[in-house]
Amino acid sequence: MIPSVNSSGSRTIGLLAYLYGPGRHEEHTDPHLVASFDGMSPDPGRDPNATLKDLQQLLDQPVMALAEHARPAKHVWHTSVRADPRDRILSDEEWADIARRIVAATGIDPGDGQPGCRWAAVRHADDHIHIVATLVTEEGHRPDDYRSGTRAQAEARLIEKELGLHEVAPGDGTAAQRPTSAERHKAERQGRERTAREELRETVRRAVAGATSEEEFFDRLAGDGFLIRKRVAPSGDLLGYKVALPDDRNAQGEPVFYPGARLAPDLSLPRIRERWSADAKAGAGVESPPSAGPAAPSAARRRTAKAAWEALLVVEQGEDSVVAAYVASAGEVLDALAKTSAAYTRRELREAAWAYERASRSHVRAVRGHDRALRQAARDLVHGGPALGRGEDGASTAMAIDMLFFLIVATAHWHARKGHAQQAEAAEKAAEHLRAAYQAAAQQPLGALHQRGRRLARPLLRRQSAVVREAIPELAEQVLAEPGWPALAATLADAEAAGHDPATLLAEVSGRRELGTADSLSDVLVWRLRHAADLPADTTGVPSAAAVRDSSTGAAPEAERARYRRR
């Protein structure tokens, strides 16, 4: 249940006309009063003898009783209280009780003999009510409504528990501004999946991902076809910016612009600049990526996997201010990956980035600069270009998603430990979308490895089983029983052929990071091993070194070893 408080109105009659009217898009149904300050206020919705003017004059009476110079310029307090779409439909009596609790909690009408304001609660839809009040008490004073929005949210959490409604995670003031009802209805009319505000927020975040300067940031936005207006001081210094969709117009046919800070708190120009200035102060800015070429997308994904792997340890064990920087930069990586991945993973990756956006901000002040590797990974992904859904591109995408999944899960755990409920929930949602994207990306490369593993000579397969029991004895039986075991066996053989000690390598990649959230331990270990041993992610059409071993000696030809070292 979400209360949305606005206390800056000046015309009671205007607000009542909207609440009792048909709505901007004929969405208001059966507008009627469910509660009021005295329980006897006129209801223009269901009483044919009552008018909007009657209700307005009753509510405004304490205001008009003051001398004209003493009347507040903006005296109308208004909040909507909206139920979650998954909740049952509440009765008028339940909404009336909710309204009385909200006005009491916010100080509008505290009750218990204390002077209160006049108010009325109007219902014109199944899922929400509106409460309108005038900010002068019966004694002619201003009510104690300080932080009324926060107080309304706290009361809503109690109401949810008592009525068995969906419990909304408490906020902390760092969320992006929600689209208005008018923006949502406009998007529906235009057939947009998201509102203009939301589309712009997503686009600006992608333009920021891995960017190193204002010029690059604005060039990316312009290149995507978006309209940009810059706010420049008389000195010529850039103070801010706002953006608009080319086809989003107001009634006068003018583009509807949104300042960066109105899209999200971390998209204001000063907050974006913090990323670049921190790199400069650290003495090593984000580097220019290698020139684009056929291998650029897969190389960028390998570097992303490496950066995510290293960031995981920081998020698990680092200082909060440093962790906050990594948490924010992980969002840049997700934005860049969603922008450049193949179509069959793009939707889930886009949803992951969209969900994680809420998790990227908190009140923990980020110390930027330590997160350069993640920002570099985002930059590499953008400049590496779109990846194909097959071959090394597709397989390295699965590897990168696998590493990012555990990083995002660690982020959710960090937020939960800090009491950041909304951020933890958002990171968990992002992880679920990453899980779905991984399953799509990993099917082909893991399938090829599985087939190679099934063709391993029996003595070699037994030796790899012994390696697992030696390296991870507590997990060995689970791993050996999983359907993915043949793929892991083939990877252990590849690592050995490349000159590594498979037992040592396996112990290292499994011991440093948690595995509890993995659907398949063997799948996770495959990607960690191939990353740590610098093995190709895609093995389609590549004969396994293990396949040509002499089954009696278990020795691989030196030429085969050399070929794997060169890869």
Side-chain angles (χ1 to χ4, degrees):
M1 179 168 291
I2 301 173
S4 180
V5 175
N6 181 349
S7 57
S8 61
S10 59
R11 293 184 68 248
T12 309
I13 191 68
L15 179 56
L16 291 175
Y18 168 73
L19 297 180
Y20 277 96
R24 295 185 178 91
H25 310 284
E26 304 293 332
E27 73 274 22
H28 295 176
T29 304
D30 185 24
H32 60 281
L33 211 65
V34 293
S36 66
F37 71 100
D38 62 356
M40 299 182 293
S41 298
D43 182 7
R46 291 187 173 174
D47 182 353
N49 297 316
T51 67
L52 292 177
K53 191 70 174 176
D54 293 335
L55 182 56
Q56 173 260 315
Q57 289 179 337
L58 181 65
L59 295 176
D60 279 346
Q61 191 172 11
V63 179
M64 302 308 293
L66 296 175
E68 188 171 352
H69 71 274
R71 297 170 189 167
K74 294 187 175 181
H75 66 274
V76 182
W77 184 91
H78 167 230
T79 183
S80 62
V81 186
R82 188 176 299 273
D84 188 273
R86 292 166 287 185
D87 288 336
R88 60 183 174 83
I89 295 178
L90 302 177
S91 67
D92 279 357
E93 290 73 19
E94 287 173 312
W95 277 120
D97 185 56
I98 290 169
R100 284 188 284 268
R101 292 182 61 170
I102 293 293
V103 294
T106 55
I108 296 299
D109 189 5
D112 294 329
Q114 300 179 64
C117 300
R118 296 189 175 189
W119 59 272
V122 179
R123 182 180 189 180
H124 55 208
D126 285 339
D127 63 348
H128 71 278
I129 59 170
H130 292 262
I131 306 173
V132 55
T134 48
L135 293 173
V136 175
T137 70
E138 298 289 357
E139 295 183 353
H141 302 300
R142 171 87 190 199
D144 179 17
D145 64 332
Y146 177 67
R147 294 176 63 84
S148 60
T150 302
R151 291 151 72 177
Q153 293 288 350
E155 187 66 20
R157 303 293 80 78
L158 298 175
I159 293 170
E160 289 162 354
K161 291 180 180 179
E162 293 178 20
L163 296 185
L165 306 178
H166 177 74
E167 296 184 26
V168 176
D172 62 359
T174 62
Q177 184 174 332
R178 292 175 178 272
T180 65
S181 296
E183 290 171 347
R184 289 194 298 270
H185 289 304
K186 186 176 183 180
E188 290 174 7
R189 291 198 314 273
Q190 295 175 342
R192 296 183 187 276
E193 183 179 353
R194 291 178 177 146
T195 65
R197 182 193 299 273
E198 291 169 322
E199 284 190 31
L200 288 168
R201 184 163 76 240
E202 181 179 45
T203 301
V204 172
R205 289 185 66 86
R206 288 186 179 185
V208 171
T212 58
S213 66
E214 292 173 9
E215 292 76 16
E216 182 178 7
F217 168 57
F218 288 119
D219 284 347
R220 288 186 186 180
L221 284 176
D224 286 335
F226 293 92
L227 305 180
I228 307 167
R229 284 185 183 170
K230 301 178 183 179
R231 186 161 60 91
V232 182
S235 62
D237 294 333
L238 182 61
L239 300 178
Y241 74 97
K242 52 187 178 181
V243 289
L245 298 175
D247 57 349
D248 183 34
R249 306 274 170 164
N250 60 20
Q252 291 71 43
E254 301 167 334
V256 180
F257 282 89
Y258 293 84
R262 297 290 298 276
L263 298 176
D266 56 343
L267 295 182
S268 67
L269 189 59
R271 293 290 300 276
I272 292 173
R273 281 172 170 162
E274 288 178 5
R275 315 180 193 205
W276 308 323
S277 61
D279 290 332
K281 288 178 182 178
V286 176
E287 304 168 2
S288 297
S291 300
S298 59
R301 279 151 178 73
R302 277 189 165 274
R303 287 191 289 273
T304 297
K306 180 176 186 294
W309 173 256
E310 293 171 349
L312 181 55
L313 185 61
V314 177
V315 172
E316 290 176 340
Q317 302 178 10
E319 296 180 4
D320 286 343
S321 59
V322 176
V323 172
Y326 276 85
V327 167
S329 292
E332 293 192 49
V333 176
L334 289 177
D335 286 322
L337 191 62
K339 183 177 182 178
T340 59
S341 286
Y344 72 111
T345 57
R346 190 178 304 143
R347 181 173 181 82
E348 290 293 348
L349 289 174
R350 183 188 178 195
E351 292 298 326
W354 179 256
Y356 186 79
E357 184 264 344
R358 179 67 188 94
S360 65
R361 294 183 303 273
S362 71
H363 282 303
V364 178
R365 186 68 174 177
V367 176
R368 308 300 296 242
H370 301 279
D371 55 336
R372 288 194 303 275
L374 280 177
R375 295 202 64 243
Q376 181 67 54
R379 184 168 178 78
D380 290 347
L381 288 166
V382 171
H383 286 268
L388 299 174
R390 59 182 183 276
E392 190 69 11
D393 278 9
S396 58
T397 295
M399 177 186 289
I401 295 173
D402 179 75
M403 301 289 186
L404 284 167
F405 170 81
F406 286 98
L407 175 59
I408 301 309
V409 168
T411 295
H413 293 166
W414 179 76
H415 277 309
R417 291 195 301 272
K418 303 304 296 181
H420 304 159
Q422 288 189 355
Q423 290 90 333
E425 182 179 347
E428 289 168 1
K429 289 180 181 177
E432 288 306 308
H433 287 294
L434 284 175
R435 192 192 300 271
Y438 167 78
Q439 290 168 350
Q443 184 175 2
Q444 188 275 330
L446 282 181
L449 271 172
H450 182 86
Q451 293 303 317
R452 291 179 55 220
R454 293 184 63 183
R455 293 196 294 269
L456 289 177
R458 194 163 292 179
L460 181 56
L461 192 59
R462 284 197 296 268
R463 190 163 79 248
Q464 301 308 345
S465 299
V467 165
V468 172
R469 290 190 171 94
E470 175 189 348
I472 47 173
E474 70 285 358
L475 299 174
E477 297 311 315
Q478 179 181 345
V479 168
L480 295 173
E482 287 183 346
W485 158 240
L488 177 58
T491 295
L492 288 168
D494 288 348
E496 185 178 11
H500 298 278
D501 179 345
T504 301
L505 195 63
L506 181 58
E508 178 184 352
V509 301
S510 62
R512 291 178 58 204
R513 306 291 189 271
E514 62 92 15
L515 292 165
T517 52
D519 286 339
S520 168
L521 296 181
S522 49
D523 282 11
V524 173
L525 294 172
V526 162
W527 297 120
R528 292 185 182 182
L529 284 167
R530 302 197 81 81
H531 162 70
D534 197 26
L535 299 170
D538 177 52
T539 62
T540 306
V542 177
S544 170
V548 297
R549 289 177 184 275
D550 182 273
S551 61
S552 61
T553 65
E558 183 57 34
E560 189 67 20
R561 287 181 181 271
R563 184 174 72 82
Y564 266 77
R565 291 192 190 102
R566 289 196 298 270
R567 290 187 69 95

